[in-house]
Amino acid sequence: MTLRRSASLALAVTALLGPATAAGAAARPQAAPSSAAAAAATTAPDRAVVAGLDRYAHRLRGTRPGGSSADLEAFGKATRGASVVGVGEVSHGSGDVFALKDRLLRHLVTREGFSAFAMEINWSAAARIDAYVRTGEGDLRQIMRDEFQDAYGLLDTEEYLRLFSWVREHNRTAAQQVRIVGMDFSDVDPEQYDRLLAWAERNTPALVPELRERYAALRALRGGVAERLAAYGALPLAERKRMAEDAGAAYRLLEGAGTRDPRVLQDARVISQMATSYAFDSDDPAQALAANRHRDRTMAENAVWWQRNTGGRIVVSAHDGHITYEAALPHVYPVTMGADLRELIGKEYLAVGTSAYGGAYRARTATGVGTFTFAAAPGSNEYVLDQVRHRDFYVDLREARRDPALTGWLDTARPTFMIPGRYPYQTAWPLALGRGYDIVMHLHDVGASVPVPRP
């Protein structure tokens, strides 16, 4: 992760996004190493831990959605009592992790009554996808191509295309529709300003001249997502600060006028959130850290806003580094979104981390996107998890800590994969699983995500 704001806003737009160099242009995908070799090196204390984990592990039949979800019944039961369930991803580029999220979402929607999928994407991007899954408006592939640019390009995948398509099919006949929500705010589509101003013209026309003035500089940013990100990041800091002041003033203007439409206020709030993120001085390390703090806190607030305003249960999808309660990279993310969610809604938040022994992932490099491999090392959390009798499984760590053989292991920080969206960069960081998550989903081998073909 770079603490320096670049023209492409690497700081603000993707969790654990590290500096890119040409050295990472390509790598050949390889299968994960055999778990038998790992088992041979397991120490005696580890064997006691593995035996304990075996008692609490629930087998996963696989990651591909469709078919029976009987293996997820215990998972669904474990989520009861939570209104917000965070599901992490060990990398932003492993297709099996995305496919597993699809499986979990389908189960939670059809069996547990969940009604929203909140993602680490821009609020306005999600609004377009949400319109598609509710009404069929637009071409899904084109929407994804338009919105998933720059750092978000890692999400323009066949796995997410399949997930959104399923939500659309579900919504055709379901009494309770599933909504797509964006928690992030690095870019605002022109349609969001137009929607807000159109509402003001109908309901509070006296505010329109000042709103137009306050949003003028932001609306002047042209092009698509990548172009707007680059243009905004290239502006002088003083100008970005003025834009933040204007966006904040516009929000306060609507709020002070007694605007009763919560969606309008949220649209204005997100614009202010975005402008605030650009007003930090990335050349100052303390300010760069504050920008990351702003991002995690604001994503948590946006998720809670949706849940509180709809009353529905919501799946929050983000990198493991955001979902966790404890910061594995405190020098980058001093307080995580997961910690903020726990503070905001208490035990209504449930953190589900993903784990993988090895496999492949896609990540951004200095020259594009490459595919890279990883494998767990002795002493890591994944190395021990992979000794459990099931190839793929999940464990409710709240139950597992009842076992004296597991308590110390769960509370001890060990190297844990949290793979950045940039290559090359460090892939493992110290984390105590029992302090970071409520549930862990472990996969033995994951394949890289599959990009949606471009025409």
Side-chain angles (χ1 to χ4, degrees):
M1 174 85 192
T2 178
L3 292 182
R4 197 178 162 81
R5 185 182 294 273
S6 69
S8 62
L9 285 176
L11 174 68
V13 296
T14 299
L16 307 170
L17 196 61
T21 70
R28 179 173 299 172
Q30 300 174 353
S34 167
S35 58
T42 305
T43 64
D46 284 346
R47 284 195 290 271
V49 169
V50 171
L53 291 170
D54 269 333
R55 290 191 284 272
Y56 293 95
H58 298 272
R59 175 183 170 274
L60 274 172
R61 67 163 177 80
T63 60
R64 189 169 181 83
S68 172
S69 66
D71 57 325
L72 295 176
E73 290 295 332
F75 172 71
K77 184 178 179 181
T79 68
R80 292 171 191 170
S83 59
V84 177
V85 174
V87 181
E89 53 203 46
V90 65
S91 86
H92 281 315
S94 293
D96 287 292
V97 175
F98 295 161
L100 176 61
K101 289 191 175 192
D102 191 350
R103 274 204 78 203
L104 298 180
L105 177 66
R106 296 186 192 197
H107 183 81
L108 292 175
V109 166
T110 58
R111 301 300 296 271
E112 300 296 333
F114 280 69
S115 60
F117 185 66
M119 298 179 65
E120 194 183 337
I121 62 175
N122 290 317
W123 175 265
S124 57
R128 292 187 66 192
I129 299 170
D130 183 61
Y132 172 81
V133 300
R134 288 186 294 108
T135 69
E137 175 186 336
D139 178 88
L140 179 57
R141 291 174 183 267
Q142 186 62 51
I143 293 169
M144 293 174 65
R145 191 176 308 125
D146 290 345
E147 299 297 340
F148 294 162
Q149 297 183 17
D150 201 79
Y152 298 103
L154 291 174
L155 302 179
D156 188 13
T157 68
E158 293 284 355
E159 294 83 11
Y160 273 116
L161 180 70
R162 186 184 306 122
L163 184 154
F164 297 141
S165 297
W166 178 84
V167 174
R168 172 61 188 143
E169 290 306 308
H170 170 84
N171 285 347
R172 288 180 188 274
T173 57
Q176 176 175 266
Q177 293 205 329
V178 176
R179 307 291 299 273
I180 305 298
V181 183
M183 300 180 293
D184 216 344
F185 47 85
S186 292
D187 177 68
V188 170
D189 282 346
E191 290 84 353
Q192 186 164 328
Y193 300 106
D194 294 342
R195 185 169 63 243
L196 195 156
L197 290 169
W199 181 93
E201 287 172 349
R202 293 191 306 271
N203 296 276
T204 56
L207 303 184
V208 172
E210 184 172 353
L211 289 173
R212 288 188 180 279
E213 181 181 352
R214 295 292 188 181
Y215 288 141
L218 289 167
R219 297 178 73 203
L221 296 168
R222 302 300 182 187
V225 172
E227 290 81 8
R228 290 193 298 268
L229 288 171
Y232 204 164
L235 293 173
L237 178 61
E239 187 171 350
R240 300 199 307 264
K241 287 184 174 182
R242 285 194 298 272
M243 292 162 78
E245 292 171 0
D246 281 338
Y251 171 72
R252 291 189 297 273
L253 183 67
L254 287 163
E255 185 182 39
T259 301
R260 294 172 183 262
D261 187 327
R263 180 58 185 260
V264 169
L265 281 177
Q266 179 64 7
D267 274 346
R269 185 182 295 115
V270 168
I271 294 170
S272 180
Q273 291 167 352
M274 176 192 69
T276 298
S277 73
Y278 283 84
F280 290 100
D281 182 1
S282 60
D283 290 325
D284 179 343
Q287 284 278 295
L289 199 64
N292 282 340
R293 179 71 194 96
H294 168 71
R295 182 170 183 244
D296 269 48
R297 179 68 183 193
T298 302
M299 288 198 297
E301 290 173 350
N302 288 341
V304 171
W305 178 90
W306 183 275
Q307 194 283 319
R308 292 305 193 233
N309 276 271
T310 64
R313 303 178 75 192
I314 179 173
V315 175
V316 164
S317 172
H319 196 282
D320 278 345
H322 294 302
I323 293 295
T324 176
Y325 295 115
E326 290 207 346
L329 292 81
H331 61 292
V332 177
Y333 288 97
V335 181
T336 66
M337 179 181 70
D340 285 323
L341 285 167
R342 175 52 64 91
E343 177 196 328
L344 290 167
I345 61 173
K347 292 188 177 180
E348 287 185 60
Y349 174 64
L350 184 82
V352 181
T354 61
S355 164
Y357 179 63
Y361 65 96
R362 294 169 64 243
R364 285 158 49 84
T365 72
T367 58
V369 175
T371 300
F372 310 97
T373 60
F374 67 103
S380 67
N381 279 318
E382 294 84 1
Y383 190 89
V384 174
L385 288 170
D386 213 61
Q387 312 314 310
V388 170
R389 67 185 185 278
H390 306 304
R391 176 183 173 87
D392 302 326
F393 63 92
Y394 58 95
V395 177
D396 188 330
L397 303 181
R398 299 166 300 177
E399 292 185 349
R401 69 165 51 255
R402 299 173 187 167
D403 190 327
L406 295 177
T407 303
W409 184 79
L410 289 172
D411 289 339
T412 300
R414 292 178 175 80
T416 306
F417 282 131
M418 288 194 180
I419 300 173
R422 284 277 189 178
Y423 184 93
Y425 203 65
Q426 183 174 330
T427 58
W429 306 84
L431 181 71
L433 291 182
R435 296 203 303 266
Y437 307 117
D438 298 302
I439 296 172
V440 164
M441 297 262 174
H442 180 76
L443 305 176
H444 170 64
D445 186 21
V446 297
S449 58
V450 179
V452 176
R454 297 276 170 150

